[in-house]
Structures are given as structure tokens and as C-alpha cells.
């Protein structure tokens, strides 16, 4: 209401200031000043009016409370904890992930102890409710930060590490009591052997042209024992390796998620090494008359406030892709800046050439824009506000720009960029995923 | 057993340090700060002692401006139990720091005090030794291994000739060297828990210590720029240059 009043005042006053008579008699400056003062006063008055009204209302209720301080108008600073998390994850990524990336990509194999050692960060039980042994922090914003910094170390290995936490986040957010009690504590146990790490993966993507995550061909049907699922899923990280899968399937005309343990009969995994994200051990999964029990439907019998929302699930997945892409792009930029300053051609650093300097500057602008859009969407999600549009915008920008940054990273390194001597070619291949997953660019 | 660990806020080791244009000091504007790496090793050692069941409580103390709380919080996230910040904006020299720490030692009565052997900003390598002298406690500096054995602690020190192990009776002071351990990364849940751990803020006056400066910084200059190396044609030229140019032979 206060803003409406101020708007009205501003409209009237500026109409007055731009009036030809006022202009003619050189009254414009004083008039503008008048407009400013009057609207400011009007705004203050309106605020007082509202405060009084609120006060009266509270007095009528019998308890008087101070008005809450207004939130800062535009503040993107992270909390102390978030900053500490960033520092910790980035340091981890630098010394424990980056050095493994090259060999892991060549071998298309997850380093043996990666999941075991990354338990130290506590990513998996971060979101799990305290009652079940976790830290009780379900924070999309923090997740975006973690995804970015891990992927700064390496996109593909970050994807593998985050695979389990994305499942944990999903079950923590939407799973019913029984599902949470059954599955979440398994992620809290600190394994001491690489084979004992409990891992999980999400299976949404399907191998049809122009795959649309809303038009699933994987179908579930109810029967006496529970549900039967049929279909093919592609692009699953840790395929055949993970202990648990969240499979998206159409059930009674609605998109749902089913919790499928790896030892269920009828699951057939096939590895499908790809152009990028090779060390995440991506594969396809064929579900042939897979029988799961009655409590496999995620969030079944939940109260309406906790009902599973497939759109939100897909959007948050896209945000995770975006955040990882940002981390990878940032890694490329951090690699390129010293390179272009140190690489000499024609007697000077190549960064002295505008064609090079402009590309670097554009990259920085684009990465910052991607980050801002992702943070906006994630923070709206965190506050339980609608964020579909924000996630969509972020996703579109990240699809386009991460491909561009990937290819420019190779270009700026020249012939070197094409070789395996530098990580740019790997980043280029990894970043290509954004445009093909979840329908990608064409959808 | 109570362990007291002292941590210092310094310029992050990754940052390229710049000197102020008037050569009065190092430029700290918009520079990333972090915990001194040797202090991180000290915190890690204390946490490991606690995990072994030797230590029961880890108290972390830092001296500096209000923002030094960040380094205490980091220590708490790594596993320390509570923190003390001696808040002051004054410039501190090693002796003042040692006097302040002595006051904390008297108040807290720890069995073991662990400090970094030096801070990477001023590289003084004095505080631990001064604290030893002021408190009269035995000290084991440059530790590469710390083993608590009953009411004694065996500290293996890195000395020029190799390793020397000293047995100190507790309470004692230990300063850490680089190879003592490799600090862990703070896990996300522990970072969140750190917020709930107690952090007490006191002033130097509360501890009865007056901050006095006995030293003045005359000038701070960056190290001389290194010039590019040269290639020599053969061994003879190398020997000739070492003899006549470098004058090392």
C-alpha cells in the first residue's frame, strides 16, 4: 500500500514537473525537487500510517510487538556458515578432486576411493533430519554452492559424488516417515571400505528423441504386491554400482518417483560411455517387469503439505546441473586468465590482443549472470516460493553459455587447448551435457 | 585432559602479498584471510588427541579484531569445543601475544598447549617459546610427532641433524611443524554445529594485560624481483660463472 501511494505521488508530481507551463517558466528544477520531497514525505507518511494501523491492530489483540526490521533491499552476501562451507568444499575440490580428474576421464572409471573419502565432507547426511542421524539442513541454496565448488574441482567427479546426495535430498524432502526411516540412516553410516559406501542415483532421462521429462514412457502399474515398473532409463550416474535408484515413471497419469533397490529383480544395467562426464560411469537401465513393494512410491500417504511435486523435483535437478556447469566454467576461467597473461605471441602476452581480452571479459560476465540466476532460483526454492520460471531462465542461460565458454576455453588455448595437455578439452566435453540432458536446447 | 590451542588470522597462503605504496606495511585491503596453516595443524593434532580419547576438551583462543571469530569458528567446525577471542584492534608483537596467552593458560589451566611453530605472515617463530619462558612450562618445539603417555608427552622434533625426541612432563607447550599431520576438511554438518558452540569474547584488560609496543616498523619492502636465468654452453662456462660472477666457488 505504501508503494502504491508513493507511486501515485510520483506520477502526479512528475506530471507536474514535465508540464509545458512549468517547463516554460523554468520551474522544472524546483518542480523536480518538489516532486522528490513530496513523494518522499508521502512515502514516510504512508509508512507511519501503516505502522500506526498495525500498532492499533496489535493493541486490539492485546500484545504489542515491534515491527520487524525490513529485509535489506538487495543483499547477495552468504552467511558465515555458507562461506565456511564454500571454503571447505573448494579446498577439498582443489586437493582431492582436481588431481584425479585427468586419469579418471581417460579410464572412464570412478577413482576407487572417491566416494569413500568424500564422506569426510558429510554431504550425504547434511540434509537428513537430526532424528535420523543427520544434520537436518535441507538447503537448496547451500546445495547450489556445494555443487559449484565441487564441480570446480571436476564436473564429472562432482556429478558422481553428488549423485547420492541428490537422492538423500529428494527422500528427505518428500519421502514419507517409513521411507525416511528405512533409507536415510543407511547414508549416515560412515563406511571404512570403498565397497561399503551406500550410494544412490536418480533415473529420469529416457533414450527417446527430444526427451521431455514430463512425458515419461516408463510406466508403473499397481498390483497386489505393490507396483510393477516397465521402461528404459538412460544417463544414470554410477549405473550398476549404486545401491538404490529413484526411478521416474508415469503412474495413473501422473509423474511419480519410485524407490528401487539395486538388487530388485528385472533391473538390467548397461554401461554407455559418453563424450563427457566419463568418470561418473554413466549407463542405461532397462526395467523389465520390475516388482517393487507397496511403499516404493515416494511420498505415498503424505499429508498435502508434503505431497511429492514432480515439477519442483525436475527444476531442482536442472538447478544442480546449472550449478555444476558454473563451477566448471569458473574452473576454465581461472585456468585461462594466467595462461593468456603468460603466453607470449608477437612479443607480448596474448591478453594484450583485444580479441582475447574481450573473450575473457565476456566469460566473466556470463558466469556471473549464470550464478545470479541460479542463486535467485535456489533462494526462492529455499524460501518455499515458486521458482519454476527462475529455474527455467537459469537453465536456458546456462545451457547456452556453458557450451560457449567450453568451446572458447579450448579456443583461447589455441592448438594446446585441443590436446590432453590442458584440461580445457575435458571441460569442453563435460559442459556439452547441459544442452542434451532433460531435452536440452531443443526443448 | 584439557588442550588449549592458539590460532592466528593471517593472509591466506594462496594470496600474493602486496606492500602498501608508502611502504608502511603489508596491504590488507580486500585480501582473503584464513587460519595460519601451522595453527590448522595444531587444531588437527588436538582433535586427533580427542578422537584417541586422550583429550577431553579443546579450547581455541585467538587474539585480534572481531573478525578473527571466523578462524575460531573454523576451529570449532574442525572439532574444537569452545572458543575464546581476545578482542583488540591493536598491532601485536610476539611478547604481548605470549603475555595474553599466559593469562589464558592461568585461567583455563590446560594440560597441553598447542601452537603453530610460526605464523606465515611475520614468520617470527617466537610466541611458543616466549609462552614457555613466561609460564615456566616445558616446551617441545617443531613437533613432527606428539605422543601423550600418562603424565608425560613425548615430542619428536625436526632438527638439522635429524629427529630428536624430548619427554616433557605435563602441563607442557608444543609447537607444530609442517609434517605433524594433514589437517582435515570441515564437514558440512560440523560447520553448522560450530555455530552452537560457545565463543567467549574478552578484552586484554579483562586479562590484566596492557598492550605495549616496544618495536617500530621502519619500512616494509617487497622482495627484489628475480631476473630471468641464463643458459650456459658448457661446464667450463658454468664453473667460470660460479667462480667469477656468483662468487660461490
Amino acid at each position: 500500500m505504501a508503494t502504491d501511494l508513493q507511486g501515485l505521488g510520483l506520477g502526479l508530481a512528475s506530471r507536474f514537473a514535465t508540464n509545458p507551463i512549468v517547463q516554460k517558466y523554468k520551474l522544472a528544477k524546483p518542480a523536480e525537487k518538489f516532486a522528490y520531497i513530496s513523494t518522499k514525505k508521502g512515502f514516510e507518511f504512508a509508512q507511519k500510517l501503516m505502522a500506526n494501523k498495525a500498532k492499533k491492530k496489535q493493541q486490539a489483540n492485546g500484545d504489542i510487538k515491534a515491527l520487524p526490521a525490513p529485509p535489506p533491499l538487495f543483499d547477495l552476501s552468504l552467511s558465515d556458515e555458507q562461506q565456511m562451507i564454500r571454503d571447505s568444499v573448494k579446498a577439498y575440490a582443489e586437493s582431492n578432486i582436481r588431481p584425479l580428474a585427468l586419469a579418471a576421464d581417460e579410464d572412464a572409471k570412478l577413482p576407487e576411493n572417491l566416494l569413500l573419502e568424500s564422506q569426510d565432507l558429510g554431504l550425504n547426511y547434511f540434509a537428513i533430519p537430526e532424528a535420523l542421524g543427520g544434520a537436518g539442513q535441507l538447503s537448496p541454496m547451500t546445495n547450489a554452492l556445494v555443487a559449484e565448488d565441487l564441480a570446480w574441482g571436476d564436473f564429472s567427479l562432482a556429478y558422481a559424488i553428488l549423485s547420492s546426495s541428490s537422492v538423500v535430498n529428494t527422500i528427505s524432502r518428500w519421502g514419507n516417515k517409513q521411507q525416511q526411516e528405512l533409507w536415510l540412516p543407511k547414508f549416515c553410516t560412515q563406511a571404512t571400505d570403498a565397497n561399503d559406501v551406500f550410494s544412490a542415483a536418480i533415473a529420469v532421462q529416457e533414450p527417446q528423441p527430444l526427451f521431455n521429462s514430463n512425458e515419461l514412457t516408463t510406466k508403473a502399474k499397481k498390483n497386489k504386491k505393490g507396483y510393477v515398473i516397465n521402461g528404459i532409463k538412460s544417463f544414470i550416474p554410477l549405473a550398476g554400482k549404486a545401491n538404490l535408484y529413484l526411478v521416474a515413471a508415469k503412474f495413473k497419469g501422473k509423474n511419480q518417483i519410485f524407490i528401487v533397490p539395486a538388487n530388485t529383480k528385472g533391473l538390467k544395467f548397461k554401461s554407455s560411455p559418453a563424450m563427457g562426464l566419463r568418470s561418473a560411469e554413466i549407463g542405461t537401465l532397462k526395467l523389465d517387469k520390475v516388482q517393487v513393494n507397496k511403499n516404493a512410491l515416494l511420498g505415498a500417504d503424505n499429508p498435502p503439505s508434503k505431497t511429492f511435486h514432480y515439477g519442483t523435483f525436475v527444476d531442482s535437478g536442472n538447478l544442480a546441473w546449472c550449478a555444476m556447469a558454473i563451477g566448471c566454467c569458473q574452473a576454465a576461467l581461472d585456468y585461462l586468465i594466467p595462461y593468456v597473461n603468460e603466453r607470449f605471441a608477437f612479443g607480448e602476452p596474448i591478453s594484450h590482443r583485444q580479441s582475447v581480452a574481450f573473450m575473457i571479459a565476456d566469460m566473466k560476465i556470463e558466469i556471473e549472470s549464470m550464478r545470479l540466476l541460479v542463486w535467485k532460483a535456489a533462494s526462492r526454492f529455499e524460501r518455499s516460493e515458486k521458482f519454476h520460471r527462475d529455474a527455467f531462465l537459469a537453465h536456458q542461460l546456462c545451457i547456452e553459455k556453458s557450451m560457449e565458454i567450453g568451446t572458447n576455453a579450448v579456443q583461447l588455448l589455441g592448438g594446446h587447448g585441443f590436446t590432453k595437455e590442458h584440461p580445457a578439452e575435458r571441460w569442453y566435453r563435460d559442459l556439452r551435457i547441459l544442452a542434451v540432458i532433460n531435452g536440452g536446447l531443443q526443448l | 585432559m584439557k588442550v588449549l590451542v592458539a590460532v592466528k588470522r593471517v593472509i591466506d597462503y594462496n594470496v600474493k602479498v602486496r606492500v602498501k605504496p608508502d611502504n608502511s606495511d603489508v596491504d590488507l585491503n580486500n585480501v582473503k584471510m584464513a587460519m595460519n596453516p601451522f595453527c590448522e595443524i595444531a587444531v588437527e593434532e588436538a582433535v586427533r588427541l580427542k578422537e584417541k580419547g586422550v583429550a577431553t576438551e579443546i579450547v581455541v583462543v585467538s587474539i585480534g579484531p572481531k573478525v578473527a571469530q571466523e578462524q575460531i569458528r573454523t576451529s570449532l567446525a574442525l572439532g574444537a569445543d569452545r572458543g575464546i577471542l581476545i578482542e583488540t584492534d591493536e598491532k601485536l608483537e610476539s611478547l604481548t601475544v605470549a603475555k595474553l596467552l599466559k593469562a589464558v593458560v592461568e585461567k583455563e589451566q590446560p594440560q597441553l598447549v598447542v601452537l603453530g611453530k610460526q605464523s606465515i605472515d611475520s614468520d617470527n617463530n617466537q610466541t611458543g617459546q616466549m609462552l614457555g619462558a613466561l609460564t615456566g612450562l616445558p616446551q617441545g618445539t617443531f613437533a613432527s610427532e606428539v605422543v601423550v603417555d600418562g603424565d608425560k608427552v613425548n615430542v619428536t622434533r625436526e632438527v638439522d641433524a635429524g629427529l630428536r625426541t624430548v619427554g616433557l612432563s605435563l602441563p607442557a607447550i608444543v609447537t607444530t611443524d609442517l609434517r605433524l599431520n594433514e589437517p582435515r576438511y570441515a564437514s558440512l554438518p560440523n560447520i553448522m554445529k560450530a555455530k552452537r558452540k560457545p565463543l567467549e569474547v574478552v578484552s586484554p584488560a579483562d586479562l590484566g594485560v596492557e598492550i605495549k609496543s616496544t618495536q617500530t616498523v621502519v619500512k616494509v619492502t617487497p622482495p627484489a624481483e628475480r631476473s630471468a636465468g641464463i643458459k650456459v654452453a658448457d661446464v667450463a662456462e658454468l664453473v667460470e660463472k660460479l667462480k667469477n660472477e656468483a662468487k660461490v666457488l
Side-chain angles (χ1 to χ4, degrees):
Chain A
M1 180 184 144
T3 42
D4 284 353
L5 270 182
Q6 194 193 18
L8 186 68
L10 197 64
L12 280 176
S14 58
R15 221 170 288 164
F16 171 65
T18 50
N19 187 303
I21 298 171
V22 176
Q23 297 272 348
K24 191 177 167 190
Y25 294 103
K26 301 205 166 112
L27 285 169
K29 270 270 172 264
E32 268 169 24
K33 199 167 175 193
F34 161 73
Y36 170 74
I37 293 171
S38 61
T39 47
K40 192 165 174 265
K41 286 267 184 269
F43 185 53
E44 280 166 6
F45 172 72
Q47 269 199 328
K48 265 187 205 155
L49 199 76
M50 275 172 61
N52 279 339
K53 231 180 181 178
K55 214 170 176 182
K56 265 186 197 152
K57 207 172 172 188
Q58 272 173 349
Q59 274 167 342
N61 290 344
D63 61 328
I64 302 167
K65 279 188 201 138
L67 278 174
L73 197 56
F74 191 71
D75 184 5
L76 289 169
S77 46
L78 303 174
S79 73
D80 288 351
E81 281 74 21
Q82 283 168 330
Q83 192 54 54
M84 272 166 80
I85 287 172
R86 284 206 84 163
D87 292 345
S88 189
V89 172
K90 185 90 179 269
Y92 185 86
E94 188 168 12
S95 53
N96 294 28
I97 296 181
R98 183 69 69 81
L100 303 174
L102 177 64
D105 178 70
E106 299 249 299
D107 305 345
K109 215 171 161 349
L110 196 65
E112 203 181 331
N113 288 327
L114 182 79
L115 296 183
L116 180 75
E117 284 165 10
S118 64
Q119 289 182 117
D120 291 351
L121 285 173
L123 296 172
N124 285 354
Y125 55 88
F126 192 57
I128 296 173
E130 285 190 55
L132 296 174
Q137 301 287 337
L138 196 54
S139 162
M141 188 60 215
T142 310
N143 289 343
L145 299 173
V146 169
E148 179 186 331
D149 288 330
L150 277 183
W152 181 88
D154 183 60
F155 196 159
S156 179
L157 296 177
Y159 181 42
I161 292 173
L162 291 172
S163 171
S164 298
S165 18
S166 61
V167 170
V168 166
N169 289 335
T170 308
I171 299 182
S172 298
R173 185 174 294 277
W174 288 297
N176 63 32
K177 197 164 172 274
Q178 225 179 332
Q179 288 162 342
Q180 292 195 351
E181 282 171 0
L182 178 62
W183 296 113
L184 295 181
K186 291 186 199 292
F187 292 96
C188 295
T189 345
Q190 194 89 359
T192 48
D193 188 276
N195 294 321
D196 298 338
V197 180
F198 196 83
S199 59
I202 289 178
V204 175
Q205 183 87 1
E206 294 176 352
Q208 45 273 349
L210 281 185
F211 168 71
N212 177 344
S213 52
N214 286 319
E215 309 289 337
L216 298 170
T217 59
T218 302
K219 300 259 170 5
K221 269 190 190 140
K222 206 166 186 173
N223 67 2
K224 267 187 194 162
K225 286 192 217 156
Y227 305 89
V228 181
I229 312 169
N230 279 300
I232 300 180
K233 291 286 167 187
S234 61
F235 231 94
I236 305 160
L238 313 176
K241 201 169 210 169
N243 307 74
L244 190 70
Y245 298 88
L246 294 187
V247 177
K250 211 152 215 139
F251 173 62
K252 286 188 176 166
K254 269 180 141 178
N255 297 313
Q256 298 284 8
I257 294 290
F258 291 87
I259 306 174
V260 184
N263 55 11
T264 315
K265 257 192 200 161
L267 297 182
K268 218 180 195 173
F269 292 98
K270 203 179 124 217
S271 115
S272 47
M275 166 186 180
L277 302 184
R278 290 164 57 79
S279 55
E281 298 192 16
I282 290 158
T284 50
L285 164 62
K286 195 169 174 207
L287 298 106
D288 186 16
K289 292 180 206 136
V290 171
Q291 175 74 53
V292 287
N293 66 27
K294 281 179 182 156
N295 202 27
L297 177 64
L298 182 74
D301 310 322
N302 266 354
S305 63
K306 274 193 80 185
T307 306
F308 173 66
H309 193 270
Y310 185 73
T312 304
F313 168 77
V314 171
D315 285 337
S316 71
N318 285 343
L319 283 184
W321 279 114
C322 293
M324 287 191 289
I326 294 167
C328 189
C329 290
Q330 184 67 53
L333 184 64
D334 293 345
Y335 191 83
L336 286 168
I337 291 175
Y339 182 87
V340 296
N341 282 328
E342 282 159 22
R343 172 87 175 154
F344 268 67
F346 315 109
E348 58 180 0
I350 59 169
S351 59
H352 287 190
R353 307 266 149 174
Q354 283 197 330
S355 64
V356 169
F358 285 159
M359 270 162 99
I360 295 280
D362 284 345
M363 276 186 185
K364 176 70 182 162
I365 295 168
E366 285 156 8
I367 292 172
E368 281 294 315
S369 328
M370 285 153 72
R371 193 178 279 128
L372 279 177
L373 282 187
V374 169
W375 283 15
K376 185 183 176 201
S379 69
R380 286 184 67 88
F381 183 19
E382 178 130 3
R383 294 198 302 267
S384 307
E385 290 169 356
K386 280 194 177 134
F387 72 104
H388 173 66
R389 189 210 304 239
D390 306 274
F392 185 81
L393 297 181
H395 194 208
Q396 282 304 309
L397 185 76
C398 290
I399 285 175
E400 203 179 308
K401 294 304 171 193
S402 56
M403 273 203 298
E404 203 175 303
I405 291 170
T407 185
N408 284 345
V410 173
Q411 197 59 40
L412 282 168
L413 291 168
H416 291 293
F418 194 64
T419 67
K420 293 217 181 263
E421 209 178 306
H422 294 276
E425 60 86 29
R426 185 176 75 243
W427 292 332
Y428 164 74
R429 287 185 283 112
D430 287 343
L431 284 168
R432 211 56 190 74
I433 180 67
L434 265 280
V436 293
I437 197 135
N438 287 353
L441 200 57
Q442 273 76 31
L443 198 71
Chain B
M1 184 173 94
K2 190 196 268 188
V3 181
L4 180 72
V5 184
V7 300
K8 184 175 181 186
R9 176 184 173 88
V10 297
I11 293 188
D12 188 273
Y13 72 96
N14 274 319
V15 172
K16 203 172 170 210
V17 177
R18 271 193 296 258
V19 171
K20 281 185 185 168
D22 63 354
N23 286 9
S24 61
D25 205 347
V26 167
D27 193 356
L28 290 182
N29 271 332
N30 296 323
V31 172
K32 186 171 191 283
M33 304 294 278
M35 200 197 302
N36 178 35
F38 289 106
C39 301
E40 248 182 316
I41 294 172
V43 174
E44 174 68 30
E45 195 59 23
V47 174
R48 288 188 189 186
L49 285 174
K50 197 178 172 191
E51 283 169 348
K52 277 186 211 146
V54 178
T56 46
E57 192 191 17
I58 303 168
V59 184
V60 168
V61 58
S62 189
I63 309 167
K66 201 174 175 165
V67 277
Q69 284 195 6
E70 286 170 18
Q71 280 60 50
I72 297 180
R73 287 274 174 229
T74 307
S75 317
L76 297 176
L78 290 169
D81 297 296
R82 68 187 164 89
I84 303 169
L85 173 68
I86 307 173
E87 194 181 324
T88 171
D89 291 324
E90 305 264 342
K91 219 163 161 51
L92 302 165
E93 3 185 290
S94 306
L95 186 61
T96 320
V97 173
K99 282 180 182 168
L100 287 164
L101 290 179
K102 178 187 173 233
V104 177
V105 169
E106 278 166 1
K107 196 174 143 207
E108 292 287 337
Q109 297 290 330
Q111 285 296 97
L112 192 64
V113 185
V114 193
L115 306 92
K117 70 165 181 179
Q118 64 194 58
S119 61
I120 59 164
D121 50 0
S122 52
D123 276 338
N124 283 333
N125 187 356
Q126 293 171 330
T127 306
Q129 293 86 331
M130 286 176 170
L131 179 62
L134 290 175
T135 53
L137 297 179
Q139 53 178 296
T141 50
F142 316 141
S144 66
E145 198 187 353
V146 175
V147 181
V148 176
D149 179 15
D151 57 356
K152 270 182 69 182
V153 56
N154 293 321
V155 178
T156 305
R157 312 177 55 223
E158 295 188 350
V159 291
D160 287 347
L163 297 174
R164 169 190 287 161
T165 304
V166 290
L168 314 171
S169 49
L170 296 171
I173 291 162
V174 172
T175 74
T176 62
D177 213 329
L178 201 61
R179 282 161 289 273
L180 177 59
N181 61 47
E182 210 174 296
R184 69 194 63 196
Y185 299 94
S187 79
L188 275 60
N190 285 344
I191 290 173
M192 301 313 291
K193 271 185 221 153
K195 202 179 187 177
R196 286 181 239 164
K197 291 181 178 174
L199 199 167
E200 183 192 355
V201 181
V202 295
S203 71
D206 293 341
L207 297 169
V209 178
E210 193 192 340
I211 296 181
K212 269 194 298 202
S213 195
T214 54
Q215 302 164 356
T216 21
V217 176
V218 182
K219 200 176 175 189
V220 177
T221 49
E225 294 245 347
R226 281 176 60 174
S227 52
I230 51 161
K231 270 186 189 168
V232 289
D234 48 28
V235 176
E237 195 191 340
L238 175 68
V239 173
E240 190 268 326
K241 282 204 184 297
L242 287 175
K243 248 185 199 161
N244 300 324
E245 263 181 48
K247 295 195 169 77
V248 291
L249 287 180

